Amino acid sequence: MTISEFVRGLRRHLVLLAIAPLLGAAVAQLITMLQPRSYESKASVFFSLSQTTDRLDQAYQGTLFSQQKVRSYADIVTTPKVTQPVIDELRLRVRPDLLAKRLTVEVPLDTTLLNISVRYSDPVMAARIVNSVTSHLSKAVSDLEPPQPGRPLPIQIHVVRPGTVPLKPSSPRPLLNVAIGLVLGTIAGIGAGALKDALDTRIGRAADVTRVSGLPVLGEVPHDAAARRHVLVDDTDRFGRRAEAYRKLRTNLRFIGVDQPPRTIVVSSPHRGDGKSSTAMNVAFSLADDGARVVLVDADLRRSSIASALGLVEGAGLTSVLAGQATIADVLQQAKRRSTIDVIASGPVPPNPSELLGTRRMQQILEELSENADYVIIDSPPLLPVADAAVIAPGCDGVILVARAGRTKQDELRSAAESLAAVNAETLGVVVNMTKSTANDRYYVYSGRTSPGGGDDASPSPRRRDEEDPVPSASAR
């Protein structure tokens, strides 16, 4: 992962990265409130030899001897020989081993000091316990190393810092706990975002398409909330980002196979709802805007949507021609926006769609349409649920796959591409539908508003009025 990809990942999870530290701080504050207060009192004891000498070597050896002794005395502090007398003196309701756990003994390096600290819920009792410990430690040392008759104690013990009553609790520490909560929350947020990215196999951007399927990206259609009510860009903002995306797609189609450009094009997708029908209609109108004669065929014989979206007659169509009940001229209808396209609706729903689409008659219909039109755009069913698109594709010049950003999974797109390759169909590329807006999209502003982009499978949309300003086609310029 590069630094730029890492930064993009952080930007995708800004909400998570903002909530996780706050949640961590809140949990830390809650734990702090639930923790009992503890007060710490400290005392320091100094050990020295009672014998004195003027010789430096003997004094040095005496100091080393005292340092070794202090380490032994540190272990005595937490033994019942010291803790039990403290309990008896202060009448504590605690066992010697539990009191020992409250004691902390430290021996500073190269010193004969012994630092003793105790933690207790009562600050006064904490001071009394640590002073009692130092007192009984002196008695224990005297018992373990009694003086020789007529001589002083070999080890002199001096309390250089008695325990005092602490003014504030040593734990919990709210500021430290909240800081730790913030850090741990931030780490957890980054980890959760990385895990989410690792587990999320949905198509997010054009780079995912090329990496997964190896197919080129013909276009990216931005998301538009109005696309559910107005499938065609002509019915919303023809100067907006979504309209510009289809113009780019039209240009890319023209540069595929310059010597023999594809004329009969199947539009399909891995699953229903990816936006194949809206893509087919908008591509057809975009090509017609440039002066081409376009025929749009609704070959989705199971869930047709083209006729209803364009306000055309649905009773007769492709199935009528395939069944020999009508000719192509009988079912050919015209859809008008800024430009006009010919449309063949799907017709009555047959019991055997795949068999009908795989007949020789279907190939003859496509050949006849391509003789009289510059482009034949075929809206076919999704590839993964049914085999209809795979049946039509080998007899056409190419297939456009439509993947919906944030919904189509990588393995689904890969499977759709493989199903087309298995029947030797030519896949022209992929259109990534409903992509998120980028900073570059801010350029496309018209009439005081920015037009978002997108589209889903077709749904009914109202027709534009004929008096709207027409845009001349390429042939008319």
Side-chain angles (χ1 to χ4, degrees):
M1 177 182 291
T2 63
I3 296 178
S4 59
E5 291 176 341
F6 178 75
V7 172
R8 282 197 298 268
L10 293 180
R11 294 178 62 183
R12 285 197 301 270
H13 304 293
L14 284 179
V15 176
L16 181 61
L17 293 177
I19 294 177
L22 296 178
L23 183 60
V27 171
Q29 182 63 28
L30 179 61
I31 294 175
T32 300
M33 295 173 61
L34 295 177
Q35 281 183 330
R37 290 189 175 186
S38 177
Y39 296 85
E40 184 179 47
S41 183
K42 297 181 180 180
S44 298
V45 181
F46 179 77
F47 295 84
S48 63
L49 290 175
S50 57
Q51 293 91 351
T52 59
T53 179
D54 295 334
R55 295 182 58 180
L56 292 177
D57 56 342
Q58 292 181 356
Y60 178 71
Q61 291 177 359
T63 301
L64 293 179
F65 177 76
S66 299
Q67 292 176 1
Q68 294 174 357
K69 282 292 184 181
V70 169
R71 297 189 184 94
S72 301
Y73 299 151
D75 296 333
I76 297 175
V77 174
T78 56
T79 62
K81 190 169 183 61
V82 175
T83 56
Q84 186 61 55
V86 173
I87 294 173
D88 296 339
E89 178 186 350
L90 302 178
R91 297 180 181 180
L92 300 176
R93 295 181 179 180
V94 64
R95 298 199 312 267
D97 58 327
L98 296 180
L99 179 59
K101 292 181 179 180
R102 295 175 179 268
L103 297 174
T104 302
V105 184
E106 297 177 351
V107 180
L109 186 63
D110 297 332
T111 67
T112 57
L113 279 175
L114 192 63
N115 296 327
I116 304 172
S117 61
V118 62
R119 291 176 178 269
Y120 209 74
S121 58
D122 184 1
V124 177
M125 184 56 70
R128 294 181 62 188
I129 290 174
V130 75
N131 290 328
S132 179
V133 168
T134 57
S135 175
H136 288 286
L137 176 61
S138 301
K139 294 179 182 179
V141 172
S142 301
D143 294 340
L144 293 174
E145 297 188 10
Q148 296 181 2
R151 292 190 177 184
L153 290 171
I155 298 295
Q156 299 292 328
I157 303 175
H158 306 279
V159 179
V160 295
R161 185 179 64 179
T164 58
V165 178
L167 300 178
K168 58 182 180 180
S170 58
S171 67
R173 303 171 65 179
L175 293 180
L176 178 60
N177 291 347
V178 171
I180 293 175
L182 286 173
V183 173
L184 294 180
T186 302
I187 295 174
I190 295 175
L195 180 62
K196 183 179 178 181
D197 287 340
L199 297 178
D200 188 3
T201 60
R202 295 175 297 178
I203 298 296
R205 49 199 178 96
D208 297 335
V209 172
T210 305
R211 176 175 54 84
V212 171
S213 64
L215 298 174
V217 177
L218 297 178
E220 297 181 67
V221 181
H223 172 69
D224 184 357
R228 291 188 176 276
R229 292 178 287 107
H230 305 285
V231 175
L232 298 177
V233 294
D234 283 350
D235 296 336
T236 54
D237 186 0
R238 60 184 179 180
F239 298 103
R241 293 172 296 162
R242 187 163 164 248
E244 182 64 23
Y246 285 113
R247 284 192 283 269
K248 289 181 180 179
L249 175 57
R250 176 187 66 193
T251 302
N252 291 337
L253 285 176
R254 289 187 179 278
F255 279 94
I256 295 177
V258 178
D259 295 333
Q260 292 182 340
R263 298 177 56 201
T264 306
I265 302 173
V266 176
V267 181
S268 186
S269 62
H271 282 291
R272 177 175 176 266
D274 291 334
K276 63 176 184 62
S277 298
S278 62
T279 300
M281 287 187 288
N282 281 290
V283 167
F285 276 106
S286 181
L287 290 170
D289 289 343
D290 205 32
R293 182 181 178 186
V294 182
V295 178
L296 176 61
V297 180
D298 189 352
D300 191 344
L301 306 184
R302 302 172 189 268
R303 304 180 67 97
S304 62
S305 58
I306 298 295
S308 61
L310 299 177
L312 304 177
V313 178
E314 303 180 42
L318 181 61
T319 54
S320 304
V321 180
L322 290 173
Q325 300 173 352
T327 63
I328 295 178
D330 294 335
V331 300
L332 203 63
Q333 304 180 68
Q334 286 191 338
K336 296 182 179 180
R337 291 300 187 269
R338 286 183 298 127
S339 55
T340 303
I341 63 172
D342 294 327
V343 180
I344 297 181
S346 63
V349 178
N352 55 344
S354 297
E355 287 77 3
L356 280 179
L357 295 175
T359 59
R360 176 58 186 165
R361 178 57 180 156
M362 181 64 186
Q363 292 299 318
Q364 292 174 350
I365 292 173
L366 295 179
E367 291 172 1
E368 183 177 344
L369 291 174
S370 62
E371 290 176 358
N372 300 311
D374 298 316
Y375 293 95
V376 179
I377 307 299
I378 306 166
D379 177 29
S380 68
L383 280 160
L384 298 185
V386 294
D388 300 15
V391 171
I392 306 174
C396 299
D397 296 334
V399 181
I400 295 177
L401 272 176
V402 180
R404 179 171 171 176
R407 177 171 176 174
T408 304
K409 295 182 178 179
Q410 298 177 8
D411 57 343
E412 294 173 346
L413 179 61
R414 187 185 300 110
S415 298
E418 290 174 352
S419 65
L420 291 174
V423 296
N424 295 323
E426 179 69 23
T427 305
L428 303 178
V430 180
V431 174
V432 186
N433 194 32
M434 298 187 73
T435 60
K436 292 183 179 180
S437 301
T438 63
N440 295 331
D441 296 331
R442 298 173 185 170
Y443 176 79
Y444 303 106
V445 179
Y446 177 70
S447 299
R449 78 174 185 89
T450 301
S451 173
D456 202 334
D457 278 349
S459 59
S461 61
R463 296 193 181 195
R464 296 173 62 91
R465 294 176 298 174
D466 293 338
E467 55 267 30
E468 285 187 338
D469 297 335
V471 174
S473 63
S475 59
R477 292 192 184 104

